[in-house]
């Protein structure tokens, strides 16, 4: 309950006012544009590739066709992530699983993590990320070879999405507002501050 924290909140709220308002649909504009409908690879912070191994999510050293995924539009700024075996990456009872068909439990936010890398966030069954409590935001995390959900947005939650030739599959527009802060910087700053305040209330 100190002044400096409140001052930061005021700056971040102002710089991200458009995101907080969310426009007519109350959803933030996608901060990242990824190529849809083409094979891509999901590479973790350990340099390992996520793959569908006979219906089970595993990690692999290589980047062959077996490790390829396809991104598709899930609406409201979200993305479906589908394996070459036509199984979608989903959340089920707090676990990351593969299942047939696209559903609400397979809609993901792809957020900027800096340096051309991303966080892959499962925002729950709500259509708007900011409707959820901060500790409900879950990122895909490579936990020493085990794919899990994490409430952190740090090193183990970082991914690269690349095409078959190794080039980035996503572009990262940095729209800078009048305060000199980009939209995704404001987005993550607001999330970080809310998480700190939420934890302080527990």
């Amino acid at each position: 309950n100190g002044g400096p924290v409140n001052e930061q909140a005021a700056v971040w709220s102002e710089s991200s006012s458009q995101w907080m308002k969310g426009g007519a649909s109350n959803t933030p504009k996608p901060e990242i544009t990824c190529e849809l409908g083409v094979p891509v690879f999901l590479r973790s912070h350990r340099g390992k590739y996520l793959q569908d191994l006979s219906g089970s999510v595993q990690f692999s050293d290589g980047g062959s066709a077996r490790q390829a995924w396809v991104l598709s539009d899930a609406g409201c700024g979200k993305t479906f992530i589908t394996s070459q075996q036509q199984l979608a990456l989903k959340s089920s009872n707090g676990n990351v699983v593969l299942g047939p068909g696209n559903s609400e439990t397979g809609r993901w936010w792809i957020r900027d993590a800096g340096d051309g890398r991303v966080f892959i966030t499962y925002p729950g069954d709500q259509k708007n990320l900011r409707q959820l409590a901060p500790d409900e935001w879950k990122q895909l995390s490579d936990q020493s070879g085990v794919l899990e959900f994490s409430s952190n947005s740090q090193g183990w939650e970082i991914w690269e999405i690349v095409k078959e030739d190794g080039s980035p599959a996503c572009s990262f527009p940095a729209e800078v507002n009048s305060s000199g802060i980009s939209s995704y910087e404001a987005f993550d700053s607001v999330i970080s501050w809310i998480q700190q305040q939420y934890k302080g209330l527990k």
Side-chain angles (χ1 to χ4, degrees), residues 18-29 109 127-131:
Q18 292 303 311
W19 175 80
M20 295 297 286
K21 292 176 182 177
S25 63
N26 280 333
T27 56
K29 294 181 180 179
W109 293 101
K127 291 186 177 181
N128 189 337
L129 183 61
R130 66 184 175 90
Q131 290 178 343

Side-chain angles (χ1 to χ4, degrees), residues 77-168:
K78 298 179 185 178
T79 302
F80 291 125
I81 303 175
T82 306
S83 74
Q84 290 300 298
Q85 287 71 41
Q86 300 302 308
L87 295 177
L89 200 63
K90 299 182 178 184
S91 169
S92 177
N93 297 319
N95 298 312
V96 186
V97 301
L98 291 168
N102 294 325
S103 64
E104 184 69 25
T105 58
R107 303 172 77 193
W108 304 87
W109 293 101
I110 298 179
R111 302 192 294 119
D112 185 16
D115 297 326
R117 302 169 301 174
V118 301
F119 296 120
I120 303 176
T121 300
Y122 177 67
D125 295 338
Q126 301 290 333
K127 291 186 177 181
N128 189 337
L129 183 61
R130 66 184 175 90
Q131 290 178 343
L132 299 177
D135 63 350
E136 293 182 283
W137 298 331
K138 303 298 184 184
Q139 282 63 244
L140 286 186
S141 178
D142 177 357
Q143 300 281 336
S144 300
V146 179
L147 185 66
E148 296 181 353
F149 280 120
S150 170
S151 58
N152 297 323
S153 296
Q154 301 177 15
W156 285 17
E157 292 72 48
I158 284 176
W159 298 82
E160 293 176 279
I161 303 180
V162 298
K163 295 185 289 188
E164 292 179 292
D165 61 3
S167 63

Side-chain angles (χ1 to χ4, degrees), residues 34-42 68-72 80-82 84 161-165 167-170:
C34 297
E35 295 196 28
L36 305 179
V38 300
V40 298
F41 299 95
L42 308 181
W69 302 79
V70 174
L71 308 180
S72 58
F80 291 125
I81 303 175
T82 306
Q84 290 300 298
I161 303 180
V162 298
K163 295 185 289 188
E164 292 179 292
D165 61 3
S167 63
C170 303

